[in-house]
Amino acid sequence: MKIQQIHSWPSTVGEAITIQETLQNQVITTDLFKEPIKYVAGVDMGFLEDGKISRAAVAVLSFPDLQVVETSLAYRPTTFPYIPGFLSFREIPALLDALEKIQTIPDIILCDGQGIAHPRRLGIACHLGVIVDIPTIGVAKSLLIGKHEELPEAKGSWQPLIHKKETIGAVLRTRTGVKPLYISSGHRISLPTAIDYVLRCTPKYRLPETTRIADKLASDR
């Protein structure tokens, strides 16, 4: 997969904020892709040597049967600290290295993190999606910002995630009686479509198969 870098990587939070504010204007939250979808991918990160080394994992699965087609790993020194709201600057450099290794181009990438459900509407899913120009979905395990109504226990139930009177995502129950996930558009995909594909990628467990497999690769479990 060939990737064109669209900006340099910052060394300060101020530089990072400037990049987020610039790229947010390029995020598309409507469906801009062709169906049928043949391949979905998950990306995730692990860290070695007390966080000094980033280990990025990509898992490409066939869709809709969710069988592993291709995986890749990439390692590089970690150059940005862990700061909530700036996850993409810590993780994307290594993720791009891993994505460059794959031959099977995914139609949708599911990211372990936020999309537009982010203070500056540019979570890791948006940031990655704009760089690689592939539809992306933010699939986060925890809430970053926003509020929502009480969620029913049944799988498939969801409630809008609201921040400053704007719907920025959805809290989605992917397994009955289990903690929900926080879904938001990343790039080139609408929220209803994102919810649909997350559920279709989550046949059994709380997390999508894309995320589960990428997480195992990244953490070497």
Side-chain angles (χ1 to χ4, degrees):
M1 179 175 175
K2 193 172 182 179
I3 297 170
Q4 182 178 356
Q5 298 277 0
I6 62 173
H7 63 76
S8 59
W9 293 101
S11 58
T12 68
V13 169
E15 292 171 351
I17 290 174
T18 298
I19 292 171
Q20 288 178 335
E21 291 174 343
T22 299
L23 294 186
Q24 193 278 327
N25 294 321
Q26 300 178 35
V27 172
I28 298 168
T29 56
T30 56
D31 295 329
L32 188 61
F33 60 88
K34 293 182 180 180
E35 295 183 294
I37 298 299
K38 295 182 179 180
Y39 302 105
V40 291
V43 294
D44 206 353
M45 294 291 300
F47 293 92
L48 307 171
E49 299 181 15
D50 293 326
K52 294 179 181 178
I53 301 296
S54 299
R55 174 166 55 195
V58 176
V60 182
L61 280 60
S62 56
F63 186 86
D65 56 339
L66 302 177
Q67 299 300 304
V68 177
V69 173
E70 187 178 359
T71 63
S72 72
L73 281 172
Y75 299 80
R76 73 152 57 196
T78 307
T79 58
F80 201 86
Y82 174 78
I83 304 172
F86 299 92
L87 182 70
S88 63
F89 297 98
R90 181 176 172 85
E91 299 190 355
I92 285 181
L95 288 174
L96 294 179
D97 291 344
L99 284 166
E100 285 185 323
K101 293 183 176 183
I102 63 172
Q103 301 298 314
T104 309
I105 308 302
D107 298 298
I108 297 176
I109 300 174
L110 284 72
C111 299
D112 181 28
Q114 311 290 346
I116 66 165
H118 179 276
R120 285 166 295 283
R121 305 297 187 259
L122 197 93
I124 188 170
C126 302
H127 197 162
L128 183 64
V130 169
I131 291 175
V132 300
D133 197 26
I134 290 175
T136 50
I137 302 172
V139 185
K141 295 186 285 288
S142 59
L143 180 68
L144 179 62
I145 59 169
K147 296 182 179 180
H148 60 86
E149 298 294 329
E150 185 175 350
L151 186 65
E153 291 292 317
K155 176 177 179 174
S157 300
W158 67 276
Q159 289 285 349
L161 183 62
I162 308 296
H163 181 248
K164 295 183 178 179
K165 299 182 180 180
E166 178 187 357
T167 298
I168 58 170
V171 52
L172 173 67
R173 191 85 66 185
T174 54
R175 188 177 178 192
T176 299
V178 173
K179 288 182 180 180
L181 297 175
Y182 299 87
I183 312 303
S184 55
S185 299
H187 184 53
R188 290 175 50 186
I189 197 163
S190 67
L191 180 59
T193 303
I195 292 169
D196 177 47
Y197 276 103
V198 169
L199 286 172
R200 292 166 74 180
C201 290
T202 316
K204 186 176 181 181
Y205 300 100
R206 178 192 179 213
L207 296 176
E209 289 301 290
T210 46
T211 302
R212 288 194 338 107
I213 294 167
D215 174 69
K216 288 181 180 179
L217 289 168
S219 56
D220 198 27
R221 290 200 298 266

